Amino acid sequence: MKTIDVVAAIIVKDSEILATQRGYGEFEGGWEFPGGKVEEGETPEQAIVREIHEELNAKIAVKDFLVQVEHDYPTFHLSMKCFICTLTDPTFQLLEHHAAKWLDLQHIDSVDWLPADIKVVNAIKERGKL
């Protein structure tokens, strides 16, 4: 099975995280943490900064590694490194997503997360704080 290496940003602001609703592809409409594929020659940290700029026209600071998620989808294996990040400028645009929501820990389960992202949500809950 093909493995796809991706990164995801858990963007934190005022004890809330940014959830985005996927706007394209096989999983369109599902909720996820923004991010994408790591390109050849990039570190995961470089990839997440680039991906957030491409998807949200935003600049972030990578603060901490949270978790690496391994998940088998029907046609590929996803290996996702997840980083806690902050926006360095409060503005962003949805360039590849239908919607976005800021969620606190009490409301983190209020969206329909994609399967791999559920594992990230569980890691956030285990951590107990944002």
Side-chain angles (χ1 to χ4, degrees), residues 18-80:
L18 184 66
T20 53
Q21 188 179 35
R22 194 167 172 89
Y24 61 92
E26 181 180 352
F27 302 105
E28 182 176 358
W31 288 82
E32 64 180 359
F33 294 100
K37 293 180 185 173
V38 178
E39 293 182 356
E40 191 171 331
E42 278 185 320
T43 66
E45 292 85 354
Q46 290 169 329
I48 197 61
V49 168
R50 176 188 51 77
E51 282 287 343
I52 296 307
H53 181 72
E54 290 175 1
E55 290 187 4
L56 298 175
N57 194 26
K59 293 184 174 146
I60 59 167
V62 178
K63 298 295 184 184
D64 196 13
F65 175 78
L66 175 67
V67 68
Q68 180 163 335
V69 169
E70 303 293 332
H71 185 81
D72 287 327
Y73 282 100
T75 57
F76 64 94
H77 176 80
L78 186 75
S79 181
M80 181 167 62

Side-chain angles (χ1 to χ4, degrees), residues 107-128:
H107 298 97
I108 200 167
D109 293 317
S110 66
V111 297
D112 186 17
W113 292 103
L114 292 174
D117 292 84
I118 290 171
K119 295 178 180 180
V120 182
V121 168
N122 289 339
I124 292 168
K125 288 178 185 176
E126 286 174 20
R127 184 180 169 125

Side-chain angles (χ1 to χ4, degrees), residues 76-95:
F76 64 94
H77 176 80
L78 186 75
S79 181
M80 181 167 62
K81 289 182 173 70
C82 305
F83 295 90
I84 295 174
C85 304
T86 57
L87 292 169
T88 58
D89 178 330
T91 61
F92 65 90
Q93 289 176 276
L94 298 178
L95 302 176

Side-chain angles (χ1 to χ4, degrees), residues 10-12 16-19 33 101-103 108 113 124 130:
I10 294 80
I11 299 174
V12 179
E16 294 181 319
I17 53 148
L18 184 66
F33 294 100
K101 290 183 180 184
W102 290 101
L103 302 171
I108 200 167
W113 292 103
I124 292 168
L130 295 172

